Every structure is written in C-alpha cells, then in structure tokens.
Amino acid sequence: MTQNTPDLPFNISDHHVWRPYTQMKTTPAALKVKSAQGVHIELEDGRRLIDGVSSWWTVCHGYRHPHIMQAVKAQMDRVPHVMLGGLTHAPAQTLAQRLAALAPGDLNHVFFCESGSVSVEIAMKIAMQSWINRGERGHTKFVCFKGGYHGDTLATMSVCDPEEGMHSLFAGGLQQQLVTALPRDESAREAFEALISTRRAEIAGIITEPLVQGAGGMKFHTPETLAYLRDVCDRFGLPLILDEIMTGFGRLGTMFACEKAGVIPDIMTVSKALTGGTLPLAAAIASSRLFADFWSDDAGAALMHGPTYMGNPAACAAANASIDLFEQEPRLEQVATIEALFAERLPEARDFPGIVDVRWQGAIGVLEFPAVPELEALKARFVDAGVWVRPFGNIIYLMPPYVITADELDVLITATLNVTRGWAKDHFV
Ligand SMILES: *Cc1c(COP(=O)(O)O)cnc(C)c1O
C-alpha cells in the first residue's frame, strides 16, 4: 500500500527502493542513470561520469560491449531461463568447461549460483560436507582472516572480519569461526600453526581472498603468504578456499590472483567480473579431489543445493562472451597499462595531508587515510569533477574498467588526485 501513513516520519512513496549500505534518512538522493557506454555512466540530467569503480568491480570490458550484448540478445531469443534440475543447456555446459580450463590445477567442477555470497556459502558447504562424506565428523569451523570479506549473507558474514567488517552488529547471532591475523611473516606463523594444530579436528577449511582483501579495505598480502597458507593446508590436510570474486578475471593482471603465487586452491569462488558486469552469475569451482568425496551410490552423499536460477542461460551466455573477450582483446595487457599509469601518477599522493599509504596492484589503486571524514561531501565532489569514485572505510580507491584509454585514465586519476588533495587539506594537517 503506497498511501502515506501520517505517523511515519518519511514519505513511503519516496522510499520503495531500500538502498544498499545506506542510512535512508540521511543519505543524499541517488543519482539517476539514463544509460552507460564504455567507461561512462550517463545521468538523467545529462552529466557524464567516468566510472572509477567498474560498478562494484564488475564491468571489466566497459558498459555495453557489443560482443556481450549480442550474445545475450541471441540467448534471450532462444531461451532466457530454464531450470538446471534434470535439464541442461549449451551455455552452462560450455561455460563450466571453459572455467575448468581457465582455472588452475584440477578445479574442474563448477557449481553455479546467482551471487558471490551464495557461491561462498556453497564453497563452505562443499568443504563441510566433504568431511562428513568421508566419515569424519566435527569439521564445522572455518579459519578466516582479519580484514577479510566474503559476502553479506549470514554464513559469509561469519567468515568476514568480525570487528572491522560491516557485520560486527550481528556477531552474537553468527556461527563462531576461527578468525585470526593473516600469517604475513615468520613471527606470526608459529602462533598460526599452533591454532591449526590444536583445533584441527574442528576445522572444515581455510578461506581467504588471494593477495588483496577487497571490501575489508584493499589490503594487500604477498604471494609468499598465500603459498604459505597452501602449504599449511597441505600439511594439515585441510581444503583451501580462495575467494576470487573480486580478484578473478584479470583485476590483478593475471586471470586469477592465485596464479601470481602459483597456488592452486581446493575450491575457488568467482562472480563480479564473470559476466563482464552484465548479468548476475557466480560459481564455486571445486577440485576433482573434493568432487570425488560426493561420488557415491548413496543419494545422501549428494550436494544438497540448487538455487532456482542457477546456470541461467542468458547469464552463462554473457560469461562465455566475456571470456571470448579475454581471448580476443588484450585485456591483461590493458591491466598492465593501468598498473603502469598508477605507478607513474599515484605516488604524488604521498605528499597529501594525512595520507597513510599509497599502493596499487594490477588495476587497483588505493589511497589510504586514517579515516574518510565528510564521506558524502567527498563523494559529491568526485561527481562534480566528473568521476564516479566511491570511497569507503578509510580508503579512496580506483578500479576502472580495463578498457579505459590512457587519456580517460589520465582524466580519472587527475580528478581523483585533485579532489582528494583538496579534501585532505580540509581535514588533515
Ligand atoms: C563482492 C564480494 C563477495 C560477495 O558477492 P555478492 O555478489 O555481493 O554477494 C564475496 N567475496 C568477495 C571477495 C567480494 O568482493
């Protein structure tokens, strides 16, 4: 019912859309988008913004790449959706086969779903049930890391950083996991291995984002740290889950971040750039070793999961077309070009008042401050400067579409540095 109720302090019809991570009372109105093309978002009022965050890290080929548009349209004309229970279709078959070929090692078995969070839930479920199927009870907890982020659903919230993450509010209602600091150096490793060995009988697996913890603040760790986690998992017989939802599909310069460390996980989760930012799709990709744990004459050993829209044909067609583009166009070279331009331009920010750190890797550039005061005003300044940049936590960051030209990237970086410099002068000394 849209009729306004006098005792409510807001106008119902202004707020049918409940927005993400948003205090609806104090937030400025959302900007209305009319269209988008390439790296540009065009607003209803005619303004055009360069997208500096690739629509939450998805739009790697830019908006409306004709190859993806055409593939989705053609698929919509054949079959937009059909259930994956008992039925299958070429887009899902082909995509699973291509993901298995792209993913390292024996990551060969692709379980589709519609969102990154759900793919992490599925990965956790696969890990837990693999123990049960092998007749080893009690492996119900995950080792996860401070600064980590794996989604907004209840189980994924439990493996996020419980204090710094967005989910501390719910702490009492979540499964208690074994949250610890990433063992970044020799001194941390002893304590880490002590934790693993004392709690081993309870541990279902170790989960981390490889090399960059994204929503937890774009914190980097080294390939050596990742390789160490793989080594610990091998020594203690634990599955390693790598959440490549943000890092996957080229963001760090290789197809998957784990390649940079020569690490092969037991389960990998992908989403975000999987469809090039066109349609919702995600997957948990499991090793043949884990898949074998579900291979049985016992129906009870099956993976009991099946999202209604899993393997949606249009979304799979989009993902196949997106992978075509990685093969046909120089995407990873473009990421290397972005990285080189970050290396050239971002160090200038090291002189800004208050700056804590300036870092970049692949197509991620980060300016870290003690905090980001006057967040909404800062966001508005970016829009006024013609760029769509969305600081969060204590960072201002850039993650442009890989197809951004050197000129467009120059405009984006220049605007970001200018706005940030002015804002930093106002708030730090
Ligand atoms: C975005 C993200 C998720 C959650 O994906 P959704 O599609 O938003 O549910 C999980 N893990 C990582 C690393 C992410 O960046």
Side-chain angles (χ1 to χ4, degrees), residues 57 115-117 120 149-151 209 243 245-246 271-272:
W57 324 337
S115 84
S117 300
V120 173
Y149 175 81
H150 299 286
E209 298 153 272
D243 180 349
I245 291 170
M246 183 200 75
S271 186
K272 294 222 160 90

Side-chain angles (χ1 to χ4, degrees), residues 21 56-57 114-120 149-153 156 209 212 214-215 243-247 269 271-272 281-282:
Y21 309 120
W56 269 339
W57 324 337
E114 331 82 333
S115 84
S117 300
V118 174
S119 72
V120 173
Y149 175 81
H150 299 286
D152 291 348
T153 57
T156 59
E209 298 153 272
V212 181
D243 180 349
E244 290 256 13
I245 291 170
M246 183 200 75
T247 50
T269 55
S271 186
K272 294 222 160 90
L281 186 69

Side-chain angles (χ1 to χ4, degrees), residues 105-127:
D106 70 338
L107 295 170
N108 291 322
H109 310 280
V110 181
F111 200 100
F112 289 115
C113 58
E114 331 82 333
S115 84
S117 300
V118 174
S119 72
V120 173
E121 299 242 355
I122 292 164
M124 293 169 72
K125 209 162 155 180
I126 291 172

Side-chain angles (χ1 to χ4, degrees), residues 70-360:
Q70 191 280 327
V72 171
K73 283 175 187 158
Q75 185 56 44
M76 291 304 272
D77 283 341
R78 283 192 292 275
V79 51
H81 182 66
V82 66
M83 64 192 278
L84 210 61
L87 301 172
T88 191
H89 47 80
Q93 295 289 134
T94 306
L95 179 58
Q97 184 206 321
R98 293 176 84 182
L99 288 173
L102 278 175
D106 70 338
L107 295 170
N108 291 322
H109 310 280
V110 181
F111 200 100
F112 289 115
C113 58
E114 331 82 333
S115 84
S117 300
V118 174
S119 72
V120 173
E121 299 242 355
I122 292 164
M124 293 169 72
K125 209 162 155 180
I126 291 172
M128 283 171 74
Q129 196 179 338
S130 70
W131 292 99
I132 298 169
N133 284 359
R134 292 194 303 269
E136 295 189 53
R137 295 267 160 182
H139 292 264
T140 57
K141 290 193 186 296
F142 289 88
V143 174
C144 51
F145 299 102
K146 295 194 177 136
Y149 175 81
H150 299 286
D152 291 348
T153 57
L154 286 163
T156 59
M157 280 160 69
S158 76
V159 287
C160 292
D161 186 317
E163 268 132 44
E164 283 183 54
M166 297 177 267
H167 306 314
S168 51
L169 220 59
F170 295 91
L174 302 179
Q175 156 99 333
Q176 289 295 301
Q177 310 290 8
L178 303 171
V179 193
T180 182
L182 266 169
R184 292 170 187 274
D185 49 39
E186 208 57 55
S187 61
R189 289 181 180 176
E190 203 173 317
F192 182 69
E193 283 182 47
L195 171 78
I196 303 293
S197 73
T198 48
R199 308 295 292 270
R200 186 197 176 272
E202 297 163 66
I203 299 173
I206 297 182
I207 179 165
T208 188
E209 298 153 272
L211 304 191
V212 181
Q213 294 178 308
M218 300 296 169
K219 295 177 178 130
F220 297 175
H221 56 268
T222 61
E224 289 71 32
T225 298
L226 195 59
Y228 169 73
L229 291 178
R230 175 72 272 177
D231 175 56
V232 168
C233 283
D234 288 342
R235 280 190 281 124
F236 289 89
L238 300 169
L240 177 65
I241 302 172
L242 290 186
D243 180 349
E244 290 256 13
I245 291 170
M246 183 200 75
T247 50
F249 301 99
R251 185 52 70 179
L252 301 189
T254 49
M255 216 41 190
F256 299 104
C258 60
E259 292 168 37
K260 290 180 103 173
V263 163
I264 302 169
D266 300 282
I267 312 175
M268 175 192 276
T269 55
V270 292
S271 186
K272 294 222 160 90
L274 171 59
T275 61
T278 55
L279 288 166
L281 186 69
I285 311 176
S287 70
S288 294
R289 178 74 209 80
L290 278 177
F291 184 78
D293 288 333
F294 293 77
W295 188 263
S296 168
D297 293 322
D298 175 8
L303 179 60
M304 294 307 284
H305 207 97
T308 307
Y309 277 95
M310 75 181 288
N312 172 264
C316 288
N320 279 315
S322 175
I323 294 172
D324 291 343
L325 291 175
F326 278 98
E327 290 167 2
Q328 293 162 11
E329 299 186 358
R331 281 297 169 272
L332 300 184
E333 289 83 345
Q334 289 169 319
V335 172
T337 304
I338 293 169
E339 182 169 34
L341 277 164
F342 281 161
E344 202 178 300
R345 300 287 315 278
L346 296 186
E348 179 188 325
R350 291 199 169 119
D351 296 333
F352 290 3
I355 195 94
V356 172
D357 189 36
V358 178
R359 58 184 176 270
W360 57 87

Side-chain angles (χ1 to χ4, degrees), residues 379-400:
K379 287 176 184 171
R381 286 206 222 177
F382 283 125
V383 170
D384 290 342
V387 293
W388 185 239
V389 177
R390 301 279 294 174
F392 67 87
N394 62 346
I395 60 164
I396 294 166
Y397 75 98
L398 294 176
M399 282 174 63

